[in-house]
């Protein structure tokens, strides 16, 4: 995959975003023949490998005002983990030593973050080591998964790459049953784009509740605000179509969880489209603010040759009338992040993970 001929080939393809279909998507079968790993043992292994690195920033869960539900909680993680090829070959983190990005250790930092919080659902972006790392490791921990690569991933322009990056969705087999999975290629202004999404319909094995969870990664960079807005509208339309179909089959509305790196600040059009969508969505991390209407100051903080960037770009959207936000993982302080920002020896990505605890709000007719 890393030969110069393949780099030239994929670079040429990327010149024009045609309507080529999604390829090389993957969804696990429900069965898993792998021997199950002990998550505590794997966490200790991570800590041993990383013993010469500074510890990760300590973060606490903050209980919210809405945490009155007695239903079983669902822990959701949203995280752009930074594609290895981009971190080493394209992103230009000028204050991050190359040794800190060494995959042999950085993968343990990523796994340590996941294992520390033990989410029931994991939504990741910029995954370029799905097949050789995340799928086998997390499958052995009891997760079922689905992967959708970008049609023309910029990772393929990097020598020695590990294939295209994309979105990956993992969920606990013990907790959920997969009913359906959709791999979407997002459109903007009637044109197919390089951005994708996964939408999975899951059934909770404890409550029998059915819901949809989606993961996406919208177009990056300033100057593309209108484009991102069009992508967001297209995703909302497709989510509405999928949830409407599911609702007709279930004879009740299907709640949504939508996780992603939207590459958009709260003032952007795409954020407002989601906040004001007829799907009734809200952003879980707004519950950290005193008035419940303000996002955190940042979810990514990096230094590139163009300068320092401290932005809120990542979100966990949820159906406000169907889910209760019981707790969210708070953000580290500037002091914890450090003067060289992210990524670093103590944190593997330029984006911080978002972790939320949700519970279903019982519908009135189901209480009778």
């Amino acid at each position: 995959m890393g030969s110069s001929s393949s780099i030239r080939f994929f670079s040429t393809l990327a010149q024009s975003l045609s309507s080529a279909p999604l390829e090389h998507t993957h969804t696990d079968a429900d069965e898993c023949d792998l021997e199950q790993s002990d998550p505590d043992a794997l966490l200790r292994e991570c800590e041993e490998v990383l013993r010469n690195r500074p510890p990760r920033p300590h973060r606490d869960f903050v209980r919210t005002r809405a945490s009155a539900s007695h239903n079983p909680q669902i822990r959701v993680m949203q995280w752009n983990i930074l594609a290895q090829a981009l971190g080493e070959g394209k992103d230009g983190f000028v204050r991050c030593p190359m040794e800190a990005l060494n995959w042999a250790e950085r993968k343990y930092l990523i796994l340590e973050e996941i294992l520390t919080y033990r989410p029931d659902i994991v939504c990741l972006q910029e995954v370029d080591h799905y097949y050789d790392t995340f799928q086998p490791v997390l499958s052995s921990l009891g997760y079922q998964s689905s992967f959708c690569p970008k049609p023309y991933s910029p990772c393929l322009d990097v020598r020695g790459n590990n294939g295209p990056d994309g979105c990956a969705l993992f969920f606990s087999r013990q907790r959920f049953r997969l009913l359906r999975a959709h791999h979407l290629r997002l459109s903007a202004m009637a044109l197919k784009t390089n951005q994708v999404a996964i939408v999975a319909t899951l059934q909770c094995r404890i409550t029998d509740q059915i819901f949809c969870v989606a993961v996406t990664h919208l177009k990056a960079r300033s100057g593309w605000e209108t484009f991102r807005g069009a992508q967001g509208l297209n995703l909302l339309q497709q989510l509405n179509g999928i949830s409407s179909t599911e609702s007709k089959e279930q004879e009740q509305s299907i709640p949504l969880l939508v996780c992603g790196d939207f590459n958009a600040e709260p003032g952007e059009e795409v954020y407002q489209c989601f906040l004001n969508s007829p799907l009734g969505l809200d952003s879980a991390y707004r519950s950290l603010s005193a008035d419940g209407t303000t996002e955190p100051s940042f979810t990514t903080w990096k230094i590139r040759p163009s300068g320092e960037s401290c932005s809120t770009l990542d979100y966990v959207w949820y159906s406000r009338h169907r889910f209760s936000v019981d707790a969210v993982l708070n953000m580290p302080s500037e002091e914890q992040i450090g003067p060289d920002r992210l990524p670093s020896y103590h944190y593997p990505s330029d984006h911080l993970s978002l972790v939320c605890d949700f519970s279903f709000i019982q519908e009135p007719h189901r209480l009778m």
Side-chain angles (χ1 to χ4, degrees), residues 10-21:
F10 284 106
S11 295
T12 302
L13 282 179
Q15 299 293 320
S16 66
L17 287 171
S18 69
S19 58

Side-chain angles (χ1 to χ4, degrees), residues 45-118:
E45 181 181 343
C46 292
E47 293 167 348
E48 175 61 23
V49 170
L50 301 169
R51 65 186 183 280
N52 293 323
R53 290 195 177 213
R56 290 176 308 107
H58 175 76
R59 302 166 66 185
D60 292 314
F61 279 95
V62 177
R63 304 295 298 179
T64 70
R65 292 172 294 176
S67 55
S69 173
H70 299 292
N71 289 331
Q73 291 182 335
I74 299 173
R75 177 162 292 181
V76 178
M77 171 181 278
Q78 149 59 30
W79 197 14
N80 179 332
I81 62 172
L82 175 60
Q84 184 64 23
L86 300 183
E88 288 186 313
K90 269 186 163 311
D91 277 344
F93 300 117
V94 293
R95 299 279 288 274
C96 178
M98 286 301 294
E99 295 84 355
L101 297 172
N102 174 13
W103 181 244
E105 290 189 2
R106 193 172 82 87
K107 65 183 178 185
Y108 283 97
L109 268 177
I110 297 172
L111 291 171
E112 182 185 47
E113 183 90 349
I114 295 171
L115 286 162
T116 296
Y117 301 117
R118 308 284 172 91

Side-chain angles (χ1 to χ4, degrees), residues 23-55:
E23 296 179 350
H24 309 300
T25 60
H26 172 267
T27 300
D28 283 348
D30 188 41
E31 298 80 12
C32 181
D33 296 328
L34 290 175
E35 182 179 350
Q36 294 295 287
S37 300
D38 178 0
D40 293 321
L42 182 54
L43 181 57
R44 289 192 296 271
E45 181 181 343
C46 292
E47 293 167 348
E48 175 61 23
V49 170
L50 301 169
R51 65 186 183 280
N52 293 323
R53 290 195 177 213

Side-chain angles (χ1 to χ4, degrees), residues 230-289:
Q231 286 185 326
L233 282 174
N234 178 249
L235 178 56
L236 286 169
Q237 290 166 356
Q238 296 197 65
L239 286 171
N240 183 57
I242 292 170
S243 63
S244 295
T245 300
E246 299 290 355
S247 296
K248 289 177 183 176
E249 290 187 10
Q250 302 301 320
E251 299 183 349
Q252 59 176 318
S253 62
I254 300 297
L256 294 170
L257 296 170
V258 186
C259 300
D261 174 0
F262 280 64
N263 277 307
E265 292 273 15
E268 264 199 41
E269 176 187 356
V270 65
Y271 180 92
Q272 297 302 319
C273 284
F274 268 73
L275 188 61
N276 299 310
S277 163
L279 291 173
L281 301 174
D282 200 354
S283 173
Y285 264 75
R286 301 204 315 162
S287 62
L288 270 182
S289 63

Side-chain angles (χ1 to χ4, degrees), residues 277-305:
S277 163
L279 291 173
L281 301 174
D282 200 354
S283 173
Y285 264 75
R286 301 204 315 162
S287 62
L288 270 182
S289 63
D291 61 0
T293 64
T294 307
E295 296 286 353
S297 300
F298 57 87
T299 62
T300 176
W301 202 340
K302 67 201 84 177
I303 302 176
R304 286 174 166 156

Side-chain angles (χ1 to χ4, degrees), residues 217-238:
H217 187 188
L218 301 189
K219 174 66 180 172
R221 296 191 178 91
S222 61
W224 292 86
E225 291 81 2
T226 301
F227 192 83
R228 277 192 291 273
Q231 286 185 326
L233 282 174
N234 178 249
L235 178 56
L236 286 169
Q237 290 166 356
Q238 296 197 65

